[in-house]
Amino acid sequence: MTISRQDVAKVGLLARLALSEAELDTMTAELSNIVGFVSLLAELDTSHVEPLAHPLDTHNVFRDDIPQPSLTTAEALQSAPRHDGECFLVPAVLNESGAA
Amino acid sequence: MQPAELTAIDIVTAVRQGDLTAVQCTQAFLQRIEAHNGSINAFLNVDTAGALATAERIDKRRSQGLPIGPLAGLPVAVKDAICTADQPTTCASKMLAHFRPPYDAEVVARLRAADAVIVGKTNMDEFAMGGSNENSAFGPVRNPWDVTRAPGGSSGGSAACVAADMAPVAIGSDTGGSIRQPAGLCGITGLKPTYGRVSRRGLVAFASSLDQIGPMARSAADCALIMETIAGHDPGDATSLTGGVPRYSTQLDQPLAGVRIGRVPEHFAAGLDPEVARGVEEAFAVFKAAGATVHDIQLPHAKYGVPTYYLIAPCEASSNLARYDGAHYGHRATRRDEEGHRTPRRDEAAHGTTPHTEGAFESPLVEMYCRSRAEGFGPEVKRRIMLGTYALSAGYYDAYYAKALRVRRLIRQDYLDAFEQVDLIGGPVSATAAFKLGEKTNDPLAMYLVDLYTVTANLAGVGGISFPCGFTKSGLPIGFQLQAPALGEGLLLRATDRFQHLTAWHQRRPKSIPSATPAVR
């Protein structure tokens, strides 16, 4: 299994990770190697096996609909890199052209 | 005997009876930390003032005749992946270097309510991703048995601080072996409980269907004591199990007659170090002498455990770690992020000579995300996020992620079938004793294979315990692992406790720990 440098660049964008040229090179080689290894699973016939996403028989857990204390705004903002006391501050969400 | 050499049970008994004050005990361990953390690097933060203040409060309450908790005066070290409102919680990552959690994790709240003394936060592989502790952004932990060797990971700091008598008890977390493997390489006892037995609320999420918190100590009896405090249902964790928690400590002293232990012949195939194999076989003989019977069993899909794990865990991690966006908490890149520079759109970037992510941002916000994450995460975390994102992306989901989930069911079925025939499964924790720092750092796949014997328990959601069963000729601990059906913690602790009554491996201590930081590599 080989993964192209272009694939890695695309995945980097999806993962919101800025990768340097050098990282793209090493990541391409390493991911190809790892994906080759995990492809061992392909030899198993699992056509009649249901996926198991979770070790427990999970179901939705609801609590009673009674108001309870939660984090205050100040607590929620205490580790924010930038805030104005009410909201998290972030750079422009849209480009100048308006294209997101 | 020095307080720093006492077991957790001895400490809480001595404090309750007034033979030792919480302050004396806390000071003794703080002195050990002061003397040895420079060479071991097990702690990322030591809360000297907070620990002593807590200890003073406990002593005062006791002197006034007021009730004290079941862990009163017991120093506990907590892995830095577990939130503490009064101490940093970095996950050994630059991403969270300045993060201060707004609340205590449920396990920390329970420890405090039991009057334990939280002495500090322990080093680990960044975001718990690794098997050697070399992925910490704040330097590797060194194995107290040989400081040129790795302590294992990811709970390497928790294992090393107990092995070096810097804390009698530590809390770790185990996603693919991160309690059991370092416990094995450091010669201590570590329990990974059944998935859901201990609340994960406040544990920084790595792979949510695999993560589980557990105790690390010098003996099964001490782990049992801690489990009675930390296990049990938490309404704040929707995956927390609702059943009652047994009094594990009171159930240890029962013979093993009639207990059936499974042995997997494939565990002893090529790749298992002969010294480790010998130690493990001798442990089976000890269990037989204790009245258990040993039966060869099969886990037919065990060889698919590591590839299955290295799809599921990175997929879940890529999703969980999406929360680190530079906006809510954690590292934020400062370059250009809010100066209003126009950055190229994705379609424009695609026309460049080499399509790559640098400069290919859709908006200043996306650029801030991408740069913050690039700066905050270390190489292994990036690798796993990339692997998970790839395996979940359109066109590959069925071939990788969904395939791994199907194999996961086969692996769990292997366990269900095996536990029809036996009560416990025994075997090695790791294929070798502690390896040299730097030995595997250039080969991600070689590092992934250190989880060979441990990942399947997480995939199946069952519990496992590891403890020392001998030493190599060069003096390194050899670990033994027992696994049990879901909610079999009582039997895991009891079987290990019986073993520890017949052997003294768990009482050995590293002979001397250098006080200065040695050169590595």
Side-chain angles (χ1 to χ4, degrees):
Chain A
M1 179 71 205
T2 53
I3 299 176
S4 71
R5 207 165 179 280
Q6 226 161 341
D7 292 336
V8 175
K10 183 185 163 206
V11 172
L13 259 180
L14 292 173
R16 297 291 187 244
L17 275 175
L19 299 175
S20 68
E21 294 289 340
E23 279 179 314
L24 274 180
D25 288 337
T26 51
M27 203 73 88
T28 301
E30 286 168 354
L31 287 186
S32 296
N33 202 12
I34 296 166
V35 169
F37 169 70
V38 299
S39 297
L40 176 68
L41 301 188
E43 73 182 35
L44 275 176
D45 177 6
T46 53
S47 51
H48 301 291
V49 184
E50 284 296 308
L52 177 72
H54 206 272
L56 303 179
D57 295 322
T58 45
H59 51 92
N60 273 331
V61 178
F62 295 104
R63 70 165 171 84
D64 294 335
D65 188 15
I66 298 166
Q68 289 178 8
S70 58
L71 291 184
T72 63
T73 304
E75 285 169 335
L77 291 172
Q78 74 180 33
S79 288
R82 286 184 201 176
H83 66 86
D84 65 2
E86 286 288 318
C87 298
F88 298 99
L89 295 182
V90 296
V93 174
L94 300 180
N95 238 329
E96 283 169 7
S97 64
Chain B
M1 192 179 241
Q2 296 299 310
E5 292 168 17
L6 296 174
T7 68
I9 290 171
D10 291 340
I11 288 169
V12 298
T13 306
V15 169
R16 196 174 303 126
Q17 293 175 348
D19 299 332
L20 179 71
T21 67
V23 167
Q24 285 168 341
C25 180
T26 302
Q27 275 172 339
F29 283 98
L30 288 171
Q31 280 162 13
R32 288 285 301 183
I33 295 171
E34 174 80 17
H36 297 297
N37 196 48
S39 62
I40 304 299
N41 200 28
F43 283 90
L44 295 176
N45 189 64
V46 180
D47 185 17
T48 304
L52 287 172
T54 303
E56 280 166 21
R57 273 202 306 277
I58 293 163
D59 286 337
K60 194 172 169 197
R61 280 221 310 277
R62 191 188 168 278
S63 69
Q64 292 170 339
L66 295 169
I68 54 174
L71 301 182
L74 180 69
V76 177
V78 175
K79 186 177 183 177
D80 211 25
I82 297 172
C83 286
T84 43
D86 60 348
Q87 292 189 56
T89 298
T90 69
C91 254
S93 179
K94 281 199 286 186
M95 180 59 84
L96 292 177
H98 305 292
F99 174 57
R100 195 52 85 91
Y103 62 93
D104 276 335
E106 177 69 11
V107 282
V108 172
R110 289 185 186 213
L111 288 166
R112 290 194 209 276
D115 284 331
V117 177
I118 312 288
V119 289
K121 303 297 291 291
T122 57
N123 204 346
M124 53 185 282
D125 285 296
E126 183 180 2
F127 283 101
M129 297 177 190
S132 73
N133 227 291
E134 292 165 290
N135 295 334
S136 168
F138 308 113
V141 176
R142 295 179 182 82
N143 193 314
W145 295 92
D146 176 349
V147 292
T148 68
R149 291 177 186 272
S154 66
S155 309
S158 289
C161 78
V162 172
D165 287 344
M166 292 192 278
V169 170
I171 303 297
S173 67
D174 189 315
T175 304
S178 282
I179 287 174
R180 291 161 289 157
Q181 184 254 16
L185 299 190
C186 287
I188 67 161
T189 304
L191 173 70
K192 183 207 95 74
T194 306
Y195 181 82
R197 179 78 289 195
V198 177
S199 169
R200 293 183 295 112
R201 190 165 68 92
L203 169 66
V204 176
F206 161 16
S208 304
S209 80
L210 303 165
D211 296 340
Q212 182 58 201
I213 291 174
M216 305 172 78
R218 293 173 194 141
S219 68
D222 282 358
C223 287
L225 176 72
I226 303 305
M227 278 297 284
E228 290 173 4
T229 288
I230 64 173
H233 181 242
D234 169 20
D237 172 1
T239 60
S240 146
L241 297 171
T242 50
V245 178
R247 291 288 310 279
Y248 299 112
S249 297
T250 63
Q251 299 174 359
L252 298 174
D253 193 14
Q254 294 172 41
L256 292 185
V259 172
R260 301 163 298 171
I261 303 179
R263 176 187 171 281
V264 183
E266 286 77 13
H267 282 169
F268 297 88
L272 184 67
D273 179 271
E275 278 192 282
V276 174
R278 201 195 61 232
V280 168
E281 294 287 25
E282 285 170 6
F284 278 116
V286 172
F287 280 115
K288 282 187 194 166
T293 54
V294 175
H295 310 264
D296 278 358
I297 56 153
Q298 306 294 318
L299 293 172
H301 300 92
K303 72 166 175 166
Y304 300 105
V306 174
T308 302
Y309 176 84
Y310 277 97
L311 283 165
I312 292 172
C315 286
E316 294 190 20
S318 76
S319 173
N320 272 325
L321 272 62
R323 74 190 64 185
Y324 302 105
D325 58 1
H328 299 92
Y329 55 93
H331 177 75
R332 173 144 166 185
T334 50
R335 283 179 305 165
R336 301 199 301 149
D337 63 353
E338 268 153 280
E339 294 164 23
H341 288 291
R342 183 175 178 278
T343 48
R345 293 205 314 268
R346 188 199 302 234
D347 55 353
E348 294 170 326
H351 290 110
T353 47
T354 39
H356 57 87
T357 52
E358 287 274 10
F361 307 109
E362 300 163 10
S363 70
L365 179 67
V366 171
E367 176 169 8
M368 187 277 281
Y369 290 155
C370 293
R371 291 197 192 282
S372 298
R373 291 163 61 81
E375 293 175 7
F377 293 136
E380 181 61 27
V381 174
K382 289 181 187 177
R383 199 149 40 230
R384 298 213 194 173
I385 290 173
M386 291 289 289
L387 179 60
T389 306
Y390 176 78
L392 288 172
S393 63
Y396 299 106
Y397 179 94
D398 285 330
Y400 295 117
Y401 182 61
K403 180 78 184 185
L405 295 184
R406 293 175 202 278
V407 181
R408 182 178 190 176
R409 184 175 294 279
L410 295 174
I411 289 169
R412 188 178 70 160
Q413 191 60 45
D414 283 354
Y415 275 98
L416 295 175
D417 294 344
F419 287 130
E420 294 282 314
Q421 305 161 50
V422 294
D423 305 298
L424 294 167
I425 298 171
V429 186
S430 306
T432 66
F435 46 90
K436 289 273 186 186
L437 287 164
E439 189 179 316
K440 299 180 197 283
T441 43
N442 292 324
D443 187 349
L445 265 183
M447 193 69 90
Y448 294 175
L449 288 169
V450 305
D451 298 330
L452 181 65
Y453 301 117
T454 50
V455 290
T456 46
N458 300 78
L459 292 167
V462 303
I465 194 168
S466 86
F467 52 92
C469 66
F471 283 76
T472 65
K473 282 199 272 309
S474 55
L476 298 170
I478 299 170
F480 191 87
Q481 176 178 225
L482 284 173
Q483 299 171 87
L487 294 177
E489 286 79 17
L491 183 55
L492 289 174
L493 291 164
R494 182 180 130 207
T496 306
D497 181 70
R498 293 298 88 198
F499 183 92
Q500 292 176 336
H501 272 82
L502 292 170
T503 60
W505 305 117
H506 64 293
Q507 290 169 345
R508 279 212 197 174
R509 292 288 186 282
K511 278 199 184 64
S512 65
I513 299 165
S515 50
T517 305
V520 176
R521 277 169 275 195

